[in-house]
């Protein structure tokens, strides 16, 4: 899982650096204003969150502190997810039960929940493969990582016009790529949740997000250097790539350990003939 851990850890570190550099929370992923109150000294809170994320990300990169980093990362991303719950309530209270309000808040919530999944895996990775902790972590990570892409796919198809406008102009056929992306998200999420070809689905999802990073997320940075949301989108995508890769390698590791265990049991049950 080392490659995925580096992506995930680096993304967490960069998220913290952005919070400190701007002295503010990224409204696209950390909607602090959804609380409906003006937080005193919000820039200080952003700096505190930034230091927390940087420390968590650094801890992830060393084996001895990986569990601490995983727990700290989970706390941070769960906190950001909770902020989306407040935005969900505020949106419904202000605009009513509108489909765009419901899916918009759910989209942001799902983005953060998806980043909790690898933290759960890394926290439980030091335990025995047969331990209840690792089994629960595997189940929780499967749903936390699988349901968000399903929602992303539905949201892409519902808001086809919006996502088509994000497609680089040189690619043409924006509606086609937006629809294809939505279908790919939906199928990948279904595969991960169902456990059918889940490893392949997670790896292909990581590959698709990597292509997004190069074609969609990074180029706008050069035109909007002082826009926190633009940087935040690219950094989030980097973290999500790590999440998908960690999950795929975790499943592969568990499958290999299971095969080794079966082989060992078979060897123990085989008795050599006694030589008289």
């Amino acid at each position: 899982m080392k490659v995925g851990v580096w992506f995930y850890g680096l993304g967490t570190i960069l998220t913290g650096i952005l919070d400190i550099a701007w002295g503010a929370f990224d409204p696209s992923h950390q909607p602090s204003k959804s609380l409906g109150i003006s937080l005193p000294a919000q820039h200080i809170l952003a700096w505190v969150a930034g230091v927390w994320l940087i420390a968590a990300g650094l801890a992830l990169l060393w084996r001895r502190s990986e569990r601490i980093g995983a727990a700290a990362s989970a706390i941070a991303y769960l906190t950001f997810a909770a902020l989306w719950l407040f935005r969900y309530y505020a949106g419904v209270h202000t605009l009513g039960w509108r489909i765009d309000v419901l899916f918009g808040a759910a989209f942001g919530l799902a983005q953060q929940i998806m980043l909790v999944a690898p933290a759960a895996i890394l926290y439980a990775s030091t335990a025995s493969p047969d331990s209840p902790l690792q089994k629960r972590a595997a189940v929780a990570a499967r749903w936390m990582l699988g349901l968000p892409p399903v929602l992303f796919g539905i949201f892409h198809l519902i808001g086809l016009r919006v996502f088509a406008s994000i497609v680089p102009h040189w690619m043409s056929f924006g509606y086609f790529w937006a629809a294809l992306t939505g279908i790919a998200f939906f199928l990948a999420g279904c595969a991960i949740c169902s456990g059918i070809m889940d490893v392949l689905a997670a790896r292909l999802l990581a590959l698709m997000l990597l292509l997004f990073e190069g074609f969609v997320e990074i180029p706008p940075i050069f035109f909007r250097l002082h826009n926190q949301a633009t940087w935040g989108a690219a950094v989030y995508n980097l973290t999500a790539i790590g999440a998908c890769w960690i999950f795929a390698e975790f499943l592969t590791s568990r499958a290999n350990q299971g095969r080794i265990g079966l082989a060992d049991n078979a060897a123990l049950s085989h008795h050599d003939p006694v030589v008289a």
Side-chain angles (χ1 to χ4, degrees):
M1 295 188 290
K2 201 61 181 175
V3 174
V5 172
W6 276 94
F7 269 95
Y8 184 67
L10 180 61
T12 301
I13 292 169
L14 291 175
T15 301
I17 291 174
L18 292 181
D19 286 344
I20 293 174
W22 263 268
F25 293 101
D26 178 5
S28 300
H29 299 96
Q30 306 161 353
S32 60
K33 293 183 179 179
S34 63
L35 295 173
I37 57 175
S38 179
L39 294 175
Q42 188 172 133
H43 62 285
I44 296 178
L45 293 177
W47 291 341
V48 171
V51 171
W52 180 285
L53 287 165
I54 291 172
L58 289 172
L60 286 168
L61 303 182
W62 279 271
R63 186 64 180 172
R64 290 183 178 179
S65 58
E66 193 175 67
R67 282 192 98 189
I68 297 174
S73 299
I75 291 171
Y77 292 124
L78 282 172
T79 301
F80 299 147
L83 293 177
W84 281 102
L85 292 176
F86 285 104
R87 172 163 285 190
Y88 174 84
Y89 170 78
V92 171
H93 182 74
T94 304
L95 302 173
W97 294 89
R98 288 170 40 177
I99 189 69
D100 57 338
V101 173
L102 298 178
F103 271 100
F107 189 88
L109 174 64
Q111 283 185 315
Q112 299 306 311
I113 292 297
M114 187 175 178
L115 300 187
V116 180
I121 290 172
L122 293 174
Y123 185 83
S125 61
T126 55
S128 169
D130 297 326
S131 68
L133 175 62
Q134 192 165 121
K135 290 179 180 178
R136 293 193 197 101
V139 173
R142 179 179 299 281
W143 289 100
M144 286 190 292
L145 193 78
L147 286 178
V150 172
L151 186 62
F152 298 161
I154 295 173
F155 199 66
H156 269 70
L157 297 175
I158 291 176
L160 204 57
R161 180 179 298 179
V162 175
F163 288 98
S165 66
I166 301 175
V167 177
H169 296 299
W170 58 267
M171 291 182 66
S172 301
F173 308 107
Y175 281 92
F176 168 76
W177 293 113
L180 182 64
T181 300
I183 294 171
F185 267 127
F186 183 81
L187 293 178
C190 289
I192 292 171
C193 289
S194 65
I196 300 173
M197 302 181 71
D198 47 3
V199 174
L200 177 61
R203 286 174 175 166
L204 290 177
L205 183 57
L207 175 61
M208 185 172 73
L209 293 175
L210 185 61
L211 293 175
F212 284 177
E213 188 75 4
F215 294 141
V216 179
E217 305 296 354
I218 291 180
I221 290 177
F222 297 101
F223 304 102
R224 297 193 288 270
L225 279 172
H226 302 290
N227 188 296
Q228 185 182 9
T230 303
W231 283 91
V235 169
Y236 172 84
N237 208 51
L238 194 70
T239 317
I241 291 169
C244 296
W245 196 261
I246 288 171
F247 179 75
E249 296 309 307
F250 175 70
L251 292 182
T252 303
S253 175
R254 280 176 61 86
N256 291 338
Q257 289 171 346
R259 283 193 289 269
I260 292 172
L262 289 174
D264 290 343
N265 290 336
L268 289 173
S269 62
H270 177 74
H271 298 285
D272 293 329
V274 177
V275 179

